[in-house]
Every structure is written in C-alpha cells, then in structure tokens.
C-alpha cells in the first residue's frame, strides 16, 4: 500500500519500527498539511521542526506518486524528477531561516531552472554511476505548484496565533501630557565608542564572541546597531562556546526629575531556553545585577534561561532574560523595552552603568541580540506659556511689562516655577523668575518706537518642559509738550 511504501525507519530496532509515514503523516501524529490539527504550534522542539516536517514529507510523496488530497489533484512526476527538484531547492534556495513559503517559492524556481536540463536517476548504490533520467518539463512544474497548494505550503498557520517575542506597539514613554528629556543617548552610529567590552567563559578553553557594531541589522532598522552574536557553532565538548559577552555603558548620573526611564530598541533571536540576553545595572561601582522584571514597564524579559541544574553551562544559566524567537519563525523582530529606573534602588546623583549581556551554552545558536537607541530620560510635564504686553502700546522712555502666565498643559492652576526670558532676535531683553505660574518681564525703556516681534521663553525645570509664546510689543513716541 502507499503507506507501506512511504514509511520511514520501519526496520529500525533503535526506534522500535517506523517513526514517520510520509504518505499519511497523521498516522504518526504529524501534520499532512498546514491546517491539520497535528500542526505543532508550541516553541518546543525548535518550533516543531521534527513533527511539522510531515508537511513537506507529504508534499514530496504526492509529487512522486500523485494523488487527490485536500481538494487538489496532483499528477505524479516520479522519483527522479521530484528528487532533483527538491535537492536543487535545498542547495540553491533555502537558508536556515527559510519557511514553508520559501520552500514553495524555491521548488517552483528550481523546477523552472531544470526544464530541459540533464538530470540523473536516483540510486542508493555506492557505485550506481550517473544514469540519465527523463528531462523535466513545464507540465511537471504545474504539478509542483499543485502539490504546494495541496499541502498548503503558502498557508499561514493562523490556528497557532503566533506572536512576536517583543510587542512592536510600544506606548509613549511618558504618557499623555508629558514629553521626555534625554540625559543620555546612544545610537551606535559611531560604533561602540565609549562602551567597554566584557567576557566570561564557561570553561578556560571555551570561546566567546565580542559585541560589534553592524549595519546589517534585521528588517525594520537600516541604521548601525550593536550586535551580540548567538551563532550556531561549537559542539558542547571539545569546541565549547559556553560564554557571556557584554557591552558596558559609560557612567550615567541618576537624573533628577519625574519618572526616570531607560529605553532601548532591540531584536532577539536566540536558541530557546539555552541561550539568552538581559540587562544588568551597577550602582556606584557595585557588582552588576540583573534588572528585575518588576522594573520593566513594557516588553519585559520573556523567560528564564535554563538553569545549571538542567545541564546548562551558559554563564547566565538560571537568569531571567530574553530567549527564543518570534512565534513560528527562527527569527526575531524589533520592539522597545522600557524600564522604570526608580525601581532600581538608586538615588538622584548616583552613578549608574548598564551592561547588555548575551549568553550562550556550549553549542548551537540562532542569530543573536541587536540593540539600538539606548536612552536614559526623564518625563517633563508639557507647559503652555502666554505673554501679554502692558500697556499696549507703551510710550518710549516709559515703563512697560510683559505679563507672563505659564501653566501645565490641560490645566489652569498648576504651580509652575522656573525662569522666563524675553528674547528679540536672539538678544535677551529681560529675565524673571516664575512663581505660581506667573512672572513679569520688564521691557527696556529705550526700545525704539515701532512694532516689535519678541518671544517669551520659559526655560523649564527638572519637572516641567520648556515652552514659548510670541508677543507683539508696540512702542510709540512720547508727545512733546507745547
């Protein structure tokens, strides 16, 4: 029967018989098409890399022998043609991050490439030689497309409800009625200048991978970023990559002001659970400690890196961190994490350093951790400034003032304080202190007669954002007595 023909490992003592049925994958709990209930949605087993191979396995069996499946008729093209098309796809079109859609595209392209080309028969003999097979035709490529439709290679597994590791919809850092003021900012356009490198090895003879600046960031960021690698290297024995590599920020003074934050953009794709990344902080030169999950306001670490007790030789074993990839894909995508610095136990004026750690076990990996746009900022209440010249017009040589009102946006009674200045063409004409949201700016008596455009500028504080208002000052000549 067809199922007997397409069993895999049916004579295997190690597995106790067959482990797959390529003709009817569901017989062994594997999906035969993407929408089957057996489709593996869990991130375990690298996203079901073994079970979900039932889909292309079934597609291959259909392409060889033909059949009616899922409302689609596939006319078989035979073993030799199917093997050559699949093999060319493997070596010419697929990468380690390819998905089923890429497979469908690659199979179609490979079939077109091979139309009329010389191909050989498939042989399992060591001395089988090269026996020509019937050439591939355009009609065969039609069957390749039909097979892809039958097993749904281009169908998204919406039943899995896959989600990105990082939520891309970051809220405003400071919320409505506030704006932010950066006290430290790093976009890595000058590389890693000002940042120190650090490394910890799991074994004396293990090897790590220093962070680097790269312009080859994943889609969604075309600028230069910092990159901590998580390569698919090592063998967990004679060649171990059990290591932790880090970049350490310059010293940053804990800012005065409301709602101090650390924010950064990043993209994570690591070997799930065994490798991972996190942020640590040192206060006033003390040891670096992991920033606690409770301090994250948005996009907190998504898991715990496997502990040493589970056999993990990653120097970061057991730590909370960002680990794995986006759901249903071996890659990551960009998101912003926001951290409440008030949760770190530091006080205004303390010295902070942040360490971005990428940790690996002895072998295997995915891609790594991309980090960009690191900022320490405070939240400032948005203000509105209004200035009125009194009297209007004033007389040359006589006193006049600009009466100023500074209020928090959306309010009429906030007790805003600070300094306010009267500017005209870059020159400061006068300055005054704001008390309970009000100030009086003296206008110079010798301001020549005419119409003057000036600006009232509130300079802001650690809690209130700057604002300004244009004010018209009219000065007339003083009448002479007769």
């Amino acid at each position: 029967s067809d199922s007997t023909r397409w069993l895999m490992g049916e004579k295997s003592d190690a597995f106790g018989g067959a482990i797959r049925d390529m003709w009817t994958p569901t017989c062994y709990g594997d999906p035969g098409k993407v929408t089957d209930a057996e489709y593996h949605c869990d991130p375990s087993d690298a996203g079901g890399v073994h079970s979900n191979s039932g889909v292309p396995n079934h597609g291959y069996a259909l392409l060889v022998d033909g059949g009616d499946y899922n409302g689609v008729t596939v006319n078989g093209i035979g073993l030799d043609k199917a093997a050559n098309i699949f093999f060319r796809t493997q070596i010419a079109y697929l990468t380690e991050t390819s998905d089923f859609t890429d497979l469908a595209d690659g199979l179609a392209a490979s079939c077109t490439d091979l139309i009329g080309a010389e191909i050989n028969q498939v042989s399992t003999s060591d001395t089988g030689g090269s026996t020509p097979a019937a050439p591939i035709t355009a009609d065969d490529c039609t069957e390749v497309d039909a097979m892809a439709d039958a097993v749904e290679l281009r169908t998204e597994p919406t039943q899995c409800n896959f989600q990105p590791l990082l939520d891309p919809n970051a809220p405003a850092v400071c919320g409505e009625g506030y704006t932010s003021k950066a006290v430290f900012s790093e976009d890595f356009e000058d590389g890693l200048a000002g940042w120190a490198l650090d490394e910890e090895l799991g074994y004396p003879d293990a090897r790590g991978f220093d962070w680097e600046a790269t312009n080859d960031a994943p889609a969604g960021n075309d600028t230069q970023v910092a990159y901590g690698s998580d390569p698919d290297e090592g063998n967990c024995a004679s060649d171990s990559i059990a290591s932790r590599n880090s970049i350490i920020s310059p010293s940053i003074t804990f800012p005065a002001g409301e709602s101090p934050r650390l924010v950064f953009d990043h993209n994570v794709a690591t070997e799930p659970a065994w490798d991972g990344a996190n942020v640590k902080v040192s206060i006033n030169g003390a040891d670096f400690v992991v920033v606690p999950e409770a301090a994250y306001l948005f996009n907190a670490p998504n898991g715990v890196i496997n502990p040493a007790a589970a056999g993990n030789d990653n120097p970061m074993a057991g730590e909370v961190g960002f680990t794995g990839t986006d759901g249903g894909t071996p890659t990551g995508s960009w998101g912003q994490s926001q951290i409440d610095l008030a949760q770190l136990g530091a006080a205004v004026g303390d010295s902070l350093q942040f360490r971005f750690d990428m940790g690996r076990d002895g072998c295997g990996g995915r891609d790594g951790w991309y980090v960009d746009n690191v900022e320490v900022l405070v939240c400032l209440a948005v203000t509105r400034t209004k200035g009125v010249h009194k009297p209007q017009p004033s007389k040359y040589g006589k006193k006049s003032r600009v009466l100023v009102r500074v209020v928090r946006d959306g309010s009429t009674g906030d007790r805003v304080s600070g300094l306010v200045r009267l500017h005209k063409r870059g020159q400061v004409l006068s300055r005054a202190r704001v008390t309970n949201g009000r100030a009086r700016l003296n206008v110079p008596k010798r301001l020549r007669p005419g119409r003057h455009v000036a600006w009232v500028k509130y300079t802001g504080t650690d809690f209130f954002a700057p604002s300004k208002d244009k004010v018209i000052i009219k000065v007339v000549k003083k009448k002479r007595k007769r």
Side-chain angles (χ1 to χ4, degrees), residues 169-176 178-182 258-265 297-298 336-341 373 375-380:
N169 302 308
V173 177
C174 293
E176 187 177 356
Y178 287 86
T179 187
S180 62
K181 174 186 175 182
E258 189 171 349
S259 304
R261 306 278 193 252
L262 169 68
V263 300
F264 57 95
D265 298 332
L297 300 171
F298 191 74
Q336 184 187 76
S337 285
Q338 302 174 2
I339 296 172
D340 181 4
L341 296 184
N373 301 323
E375 287 188 315
V376 173
L377 50 85
V378 292
C379 297
L380 305 177

Side-chain angles (χ1 to χ4, degrees), residues 16 37 57 59 89 98 110 125-129 158 206 228 254 268 288 297-298 344 363 376 383 406 414 423 426 437:
N57 286 346
T89 304
S98 296
S110 294
S125 172
D126 291 339
T127 59
T158 54
F254 192 97
V268 182
F288 283 95
L297 300 171
F298 191 74
L344 302 185
C363 56
V376 173
T383 63
V406 183
D414 279 359
H423 290 253

